Amino acid sequence: MKSDHPLTQLEADEQAEVLRNKLNKWANEYYVHDQPSVEDSVYDQAYQELVNLETDFPEIITPESPTQKVGDQTLSVLSKVTHTIPMLSLGDVFSKTELYEFINHLTKDGYPYDYNCELKIDGLAISLRYEKGKFVQGSTRGNGRIGEDITKNLETIKSIPKKLSKPIDIEVRGECYMPKSSFAELNEARQDNGEAPFANPRNAAAGSLRQLDPKVTAKRKLSTFMYNVADYSQVEATTQTELLQELAELGFNVNPEFRPVNSVDELNQYLDEFETRRDDLSYGIDGIVVKLNPLTDHGTLGATVKVPRWAIAYKFAPEEAETIVNDIEWTVGRTGVVTPTAVMDPVILAGTTVARASLHNPDYLIQKDIRLGDTVKLHKAGDIIPEISEYIPSKRPKDSQSYPIITHCPSCDSKLVHLDGEIALRCINPMCPAQLSEGLTHYASRDAMNIDGLGPKIVAQLFEKQLVNDVAGLYNLTFDELLTLDKFGEKSANNLLAAIDNSKANSLERLIYGLGIRHVGAKAARLIAQKVNDMDTLMQATSEEIAQINSLGLVIADSISTYFATEQAKKLIQQLKAAGVNMKYLGKSSTPSNSFFTDKRIVLTGKLADLSRSQVSEWLENQGAKVSSSVSKKTDLVIVGEDPGSKYDKALELSIEIWDESHLKQVMQQEN
Ligand code: IVH
């Protein structure tokens, strides 16, 4: 840890956990469901934030961090394929300077200036296996080691040869993509049918390939460009340039724009040429891939866990697009901050459809002087977040007027304020429905009170119908009231009531986190609960006393004491107590520092008969263990239930200690 770092390790870990959860959720939406809920750029920025935190605090890296994985897990319904030779991703650079640095490094290490430049096709990586020249199996990359079997779907794609020009065994890798015209057609048809459009050609290609019914894939007009083989001993080529020629001779579609380069000038010419020609191509590209040419050097240099050391992707500079601002929406967050967002005509920007851009705060909006009806230039900040650069004065409507900054909360109409000279505009009404609604969603969330079935849509209805006014109101909801919610039958009403009732028995740390006190994350909440043991002690503790707990620091401590000093908080806790919500810590008095489990990395797999996974995870974490989702060399122990999957095989392969459920139960009894 850096001593001058603005964050403590605990804070960094807290932030990393939030980022990991978000990134894993987004990756799941993207890779598994092909329906991302955020722009690529938002993902990239959060990813970069996580990389920065992990660079400054390497101790917080966990195996389930997206930075330690390639791609994401796979859709369970398609059968799995193990890539005996992993399918790697590529390192990225965003400027020519970084690209030159990458090459200079290799030059210094004695590798001559001999590279093959290729277009970086915006599609989905696939692997095709041929035996005696016949196509036998095709798969997606999945997480790089295990992908999905999509043989039947790939058989419908014309550019994939079913028989090669030579009867050889070979595994060929490349990209499956959707041409721009097919993408536009498909999205139009989807919108006409009331289906959600795909965000970009890559998602469309992925969604089309990962179908259970090959007839759907067949209709989608996909194509391929192949650029690599799993094992170089399967080809005669000695350079990447020759490899592409050999693949073409075997019958594969190879992108014709590849070019060997032997000097920085030649490299530059290629980069500039395709930055210009990019829009004229009939398929999407998102950069240029530069690969060291001699294949023997690929073997010598090898790869890191994720990316080869002999190739790099140069990503194009951010694109700009023009669009019209139709509306400015104001949203109230859980902490009362009111944020303006520009709502615009949708435009494609660097490969994704963008229709909203945050205007951050009123000062920003005033400074940019964005008005309704303005034509604006939109770019992705650092190739990342959609941002309005400026309005175009010549296109401003004649009757245009400055956009009035709101003075009252869009939700509760109370007067908005700037606290302590903050730039942010805030609603400070503790009873503001928008804040309460955000707060209740947080209270019910998985890491807080874990009330299954109580998501944002149900919460919004509960407030609209005035069935609840705050968190405590949840515990007074009746069966009949729940039946008035949209699509709520007896079963869902009973399930929700049971989930709400179950939440009363949660241990204190969940409640502390669920209250949504500023700066108090799930981990800080657990440390606090372990120390204070019950809510009354916490409410009476001074800021200094709280700050001492595991060196939480004054920011968190002040925030907690300020929170509990308010009458609303005191009343809320009173009401929760009256409703029967547990106010005590139910785990161990504190994490035993000398437990067998301290700092052990543990993975659970298979179905446990008597214990629930969440119970076991919680118990292990209380013992100081880190429970992770994937098995790696760093894993110390794998706990195996019935029908374990590949994690069990991996544990055997890596000779990791394995326990079954009955052994775990014995140990749990001894420890408790
Ligand atoms: S080479 C070890 N070449 O970009 C070889 N990848 O961002 C690694 N991609 O996973 C890949 N065009 O899906 C390579 N000409 C090209 C490519 C290309 C597109 C994709 C590929 C890769 C991703 C990394």
Side-chain angles (χ1 to χ4, degrees):
M1 179 179 101
K2 292 180 180 170
S3 57
D4 59 347
H5 202 281
L7 297 178
T8 63
Q9 182 169 328
L10 183 72
E11 286 164 343
D13 199 11
E14 212 71 285
Q15 291 190 9
E17 185 168 284
V18 172
L19 290 168
R20 277 197 300 268
N21 289 342
K22 272 193 196 164
L23 287 163
N24 283 332
K25 173 176 168 278
W26 291 338
N28 187 49
E29 290 168 354
Y30 186 101
Y31 289 107
V32 181
H33 301 292
D34 304 318
Q35 283 295 351
S37 66
V38 293
E39 302 288 333
D40 286 8
S41 53
V42 176
Y43 180 94
D44 289 347
Q45 196 199 28
Y47 188 92
Q48 196 52 48
E49 266 180 49
L50 183 59
V51 170
N52 294 346
L53 282 173
E54 290 179 342
T55 311
D56 292 343
F57 298 93
E59 304 85 347
I60 65 175
I61 299 177
T62 66
E64 63 273 21
S65 171
T67 60
Q68 309 297 304
K69 295 192 264 183
V70 182
D72 198 62
Q73 73 261 51
T74 48
L75 194 74
S76 56
V77 275
L78 287 166
S79 61
K80 303 219 159 91
V81 174
T82 302
H83 302 301
T84 34
I85 300 171
M87 289 182 76
L88 299 172
S89 177
L90 284 171
D92 284 333
V93 289
F94 294 91
S95 66
K96 283 187 177 171
T97 318
E98 288 172 283
L99 176 60
Y100 300 155
E101 273 171 20
F102 175 83
I103 291 178
N104 281 346
H105 234 82
L106 289 173
T107 312
K108 273 204 197 105
D109 287 345
Y111 295 94
Y113 211 111
D114 183 9
Y115 293 88
N116 190 65
C117 288
E118 298 167 25
L119 301 184
K120 188 168 181 311
I121 313 298
D122 198 7
L124 177 82
I126 53 167
S127 192
L128 309 174
R129 211 156 53 72
Y130 290 79
E131 281 174 12
K132 298 204 177 83
K134 274 178 66 187
F135 178 50
V136 289
Q137 191 178 52
S139 51
T140 63
R141 184 175 71 184
N143 65 9
R145 283 160 208 276
I146 297 173
E148 294 154 326
D149 189 329
I150 49 164
T151 313
K152 292 275 165 264
N153 299 344
L154 291 173
E155 278 171 356
T156 69
I157 298 176
K158 288 199 192 67
S159 66
I160 296 181
K162 311 302 167 288
K163 191 161 169 267
L164 303 181
S165 62
K166 287 187 194 162
I168 51 169
D169 289 355
I170 192 167
E171 186 167 343
V172 181
R173 287 163 176 185
E175 208 76 359
C176 179
Y177 69 94
M178 184 176 282
K180 286 176 185 168
S181 54
S182 321
F183 172 68
E185 242 172 61
L186 173 65
N187 262 359
E188 247 170 61
R190 283 176 76 85
Q191 264 163 330
D192 289 348
N193 294 337
E195 293 167 302
F198 285 111
N200 55 43
R202 188 172 11 149
N203 289 106
S208 306
L209 266 188
R210 294 166 61 257
Q211 292 284 337
L212 294 175
D213 180 1
K215 283 197 228 82
V216 178
T217 313
K219 282 193 212 137
R220 294 280 175 91
K221 299 185 188 148
L222 296 168
S223 193
T224 53
F225 284 130
M226 305 311 283
Y227 45 69
N228 199 9
V229 289
D231 179 353
Y232 292 145
S233 70
Q234 295 167 322
V235 287
E236 286 167 14
T238 60
T239 64
Q240 174 67 19
T241 313
E242 285 171 14
L243 173 67
L244 295 178
Q245 285 154 349
E246 190 171 337
L247 289 178
E249 279 158 24
L250 282 169
F252 294 102
N253 232 26
V254 169
N255 184 275
E257 310 290 359
F258 67 88
R259 190 181 302 165
V261 296
N262 293 98
S263 67
V264 69
D265 285 347
E266 286 175 11
L267 172 69
N268 249 327
Q269 205 187 333
Y270 190 88
L271 300 180
D272 294 345
E273 180 179 329
F274 283 98
E275 254 191 281
T276 321
R277 284 180 55 194
R278 178 182 186 188
D279 290 340
D280 302 329
L281 297 170
S282 62
Y283 43 86
I285 60 170
D286 57 344
I288 305 288
V289 187
V290 182
K291 300 177 181 174
L292 199 56
N293 225 343
L295 298 182
T296 44
D297 292 345
H298 298 191
T300 322
L301 282 160
T304 67
V305 193
K306 296 183 66 162
V307 299
R309 293 197 186 88
W310 44 266
I312 195 89
Y314 165 78
K315 293 284 204 78
F316 290 133
E319 269 190 12
E320 219 179 39
E322 276 185 24
T323 182
I324 296 176
V325 175
N326 296 317
D327 195 10
I328 292 177
E329 267 180 23
W330 295 84
T331 43
V332 188
R334 175 158 61 86
T335 56
V337 174
V338 181
T339 312
T341 303
V343 183
M344 300 158 295
D345 283 348
V347 273
I348 301 234
L349 189 60
T352 54
T353 310
V354 179
R356 301 169 68 83
S358 177
L359 294 165
H360 309 295
N361 55 61
D363 279 15
Y364 185 90
L365 175 51
I366 294 167
Q367 184 213 329
K368 293 261 173 191
D369 189 21
I370 307 292
R371 304 179 184 183
L372 297 185
D374 268 349
T375 300
V376 291
K377 281 190 191 162
L378 198 63
H379 70 278
K380 286 196 175 169
D383 207 11
I384 295 178
I385 298 206
E387 199 172 70
I388 293 179
S389 341
E390 56 188 354
Y391 71 88
I392 301 173
S394 59
K395 297 194 178 170
R396 174 166 270 179
K398 291 215 167 52
D399 55 353
S400 153
Q401 289 181 356
S402 288
Y403 189 82
I405 300 299
I406 56 170
T407 52
H408 289 75
C409 175
S411 171
C412 68
D413 207 33
S414 47
K415 195 159 167 38
L416 298 172
V417 297
H418 291 279
L419 283 184
D420 304 330
E422 266 184 348
I423 294 176
L425 201 54
R426 266 180 204 276
C427 168
I428 50 164
N429 169 16
M431 302 313 284
C432 167
Q435 284 178 65
L436 291 171
S437 163
E438 292 283 324
L440 183 51
T441 307
H442 170 77
Y443 183 82
S445 64
R446 210 183 56 181
D447 291 340
M449 296 297 268
N450 194 20
I451 304 179
D452 213 17
L454 192 57
K457 288 196 179 128
I458 307 286
V459 168
Q461 284 192 63
L462 292 175
F463 274 91
E464 262 163 38
K465 295 185 190 273
Q466 299 196 334
L467 296 176
V468 295
N469 298 316
D470 61 7
V471 163
L474 211 53
Y475 295 98
N476 298 327
L477 281 170
T478 65
F479 179 73
D480 290 339
E481 283 171 341
L482 289 183
L483 285 182
T484 67
L485 301 180
D486 278 355
K487 298 194 189 116
F488 246 64
E490 292 187 5
K491 190 160 171 233
S492 25
N494 274 326
N495 286 346
L496 184 53
L497 281 179
I500 293 172
D501 203 48
N502 285 342
S503 76
K504 292 180 189 170
N506 282 337
S507 182
L508 177 64
E509 66 278 16
R510 288 184 171 275
L511 175 59
I512 296 176
Y513 176 56
L515 292 174
I517 306 167
R518 276 182 88 191
H519 306 299
V520 182
K523 273 200 183 142
R526 185 156 74 223
L527 294 173
I528 294 165
Q530 278 170 345
K531 189 74 187 173
V532 299
N533 250 314
D534 61 55
M535 184 61 97
D536 288 340
T537 313
L538 178 60
M539 290 174 80
Q540 283 150 22
T542 62
S543 194
E544 289 71 26
E545 284 164 347
I546 301 170
Q548 297 303 316
I549 302 175
N550 270 60
S551 328
L552 282 180
L554 270 175
V555 177
I556 295 180
D558 280 347
S559 174
I560 295 175
S561 51
T562 310
Y563 176 85
F564 284 118
T566 64
E567 281 314 310
Q568 284 95 0
K570 287 181 190 150
K571 191 168 149 217
L572 176 63
I573 299 297
Q574 242 0 83
Q575 288 169 331
L576 291 175
K577 270 186 192 168
V581 175
N582 169 57
M583 297 281 155
K584 290 204 179 320
Y585 178 61
L586 304 177
K588 286 224 151 191
S589 57
S590 67
T591 308
S593 54
N594 56 354
S595 146
F596 164 83
F597 296 98
T598 310
D599 293 332
K600 290 262 159 73
R601 292 183 187 273
I602 303 182
V603 174
L604 302 171
T605 178
K607 205 170 164 337
L608 299 176
D610 299 336
L611 302 162
S612 82
R613 263 189 191 230
S614 56
Q615 271 175 329
V616 174
S617 299
E618 200 161 323
W619 187 86
L620 290 170
E621 278 169 0
N622 282 335
Q623 301 293 313
K626 295 206 166 84
V627 179
S628 40
S629 55
S630 56
V631 177
S632 74
K633 271 188 263 171
K634 288 192 191 153
T635 310
D636 296 296
L637 172 66
V638 176
I639 295 172
V640 176
E642 278 171 43
D643 298 326
S646 57
K647 292 180 197 173
Y648 178 53
D649 299 337
K650 189 88 190 274
L652 288 172
E653 188 188 312
L654 297 173
S655 309
I656 293 167
E657 187 170 352
I658 296 174
W659 290 4
D660 62 12
E661 187 175 352
S662 68
H663 185 70
L664 172 71
K665 280 200 297 194
Q666 265 175 19
V667 176
M668 283 171 84
Q669 268 159 17
Q670 281 160 17
E671 295 279 336
N672 279 333

